[in-house]
Amino acid sequence: MIFARRAGFSLIEALVVLAVGGLALAVIFSIGTRAGDTGFRLGRGAMAAADQDIALGDIRATVRSIALRPPTTFLRDVDRPMDGQAARLEAEVVMERATQCAPEGWSGRLVLEIVNSGGERTLTCQAGDRPRSRLMTLAAGPAGFSYSTDGATWTPAYSNTPTARGEGPPQAVNLWVRVAAPGVDVIEMASSGQPDAWIRAGDDGLL
């Protein structure tokens, strides 16, 4: 007797094939999901690092742009000294380039400030009547501004307080500003440049 050869799969064979295929697809999708999560995580880290680099560059540019007037060249009721505190820096600025804080050129009074809001601590800036901008989020831990006129001795406060013209000829002023926080340590210098450039025609002094 001759038996015809059966074609195709049995039910058990079909189920085995489906099970193996399902496992293969599960492995593939699992690997793909993990790879996607890793990619997104790396992307977010790269974007955060880029944002911090931009913020640090803006801080440096802002400090360099401070109009640091020599104390003996102030005019009464016209010029305002820089006011540097541990959590706030306020000064007149002429921006060397556009930043998140202000456009290039004269921007008036600019404030860099460490602000606590909603359980988050941020470094912000505001120039003139422009809206306040967030430069960066600061990690938990000590943070603040410090100042040095010689690059060696640091204090938590500074002001180029006006003095009488009779106390001596205008002297150039250099000021190092430091912004320190966990993961952040920026030191940049502001300079008055040549003091004669600050003397106006007919200027008879401040006091």
Side-chain angles (χ1 to χ4, degrees):
M1 182 180 295
I2 300 175
F3 294 94
R5 185 175 181 83
R6 180 175 56 82
F9 296 102
S10 69
L11 178 59
I12 294 177
E13 291 171 334
L15 290 175
V16 170
V17 171
L18 289 174
V20 172
L23 287 173
L25 288 174
V27 170
I28 291 171
F29 282 119
S30 175
I31 293 173
T33 301
R34 288 199 299 271
D37 290 343
T38 301
F40 282 123
R41 189 164 55 252
L42 292 174
R44 286 193 297 270
M47 290 179 64
D51 288 343
Q52 184 170 22
D53 284 344
I54 292 172
L56 295 177
D58 286 353
I59 293 170
R60 292 183 181 279
T62 299
V63 171
R64 290 194 299 267
S65 301
I66 292 175
L68 195 63
R69 176 176 288 278
T72 55
T73 64
F74 280 75
L75 285 181
R76 188 196 310 273
D77 301 326
V78 174
D79 301 315
R80 297 173 62 188
M82 172 182 165
D83 181 20
Q85 302 296 328
R88 177 185 174 95
L89 185 163
E90 184 175 350
E92 310 287 337
V93 295
V94 182
M95 298 300 297
E96 64 177 25
R97 65 170 177 81
T99 67
Q100 299 175 75
C101 303
E104 182 178 358
W106 171 251
S107 297
R109 200 75 174 172
L110 184 141
V111 177
L112 288 173
E113 187 173 15
I114 297 173
V115 177
N116 294 299
S117 177
E120 185 179 66
R121 186 171 55 170
T122 58
L123 177 62
T124 66
C125 62
Q126 183 175 18
D129 57 358
R130 296 178 179 84
R132 176 179 290 181
S133 299
R134 183 183 68 83
L135 287 176
M136 67 171 62
T137 300
L138 301 176
F145 298 97
S146 54
Y147 311 89
S148 175
T149 55
D150 59 9
T153 305
W154 296 87
T155 62
Y158 171 83
S159 179
N160 54 333
T161 305
T163 56
R165 179 66 56 80
E167 293 185 8
Q171 299 292 324
V173 180
N174 293 324
L175 177 69
W176 284 264
V177 178
R178 183 176 191 175
V179 184
V184 176
D185 193 1
V186 180
I187 298 176
E188 191 55 74
M189 187 180 74
S191 176
S192 66
Q194 295 299 320
D196 291 345
W198 294 92
I199 300 176
R200 304 175 179 89
D203 180 7
D204 59 355
L206 171 71
L207 302 176

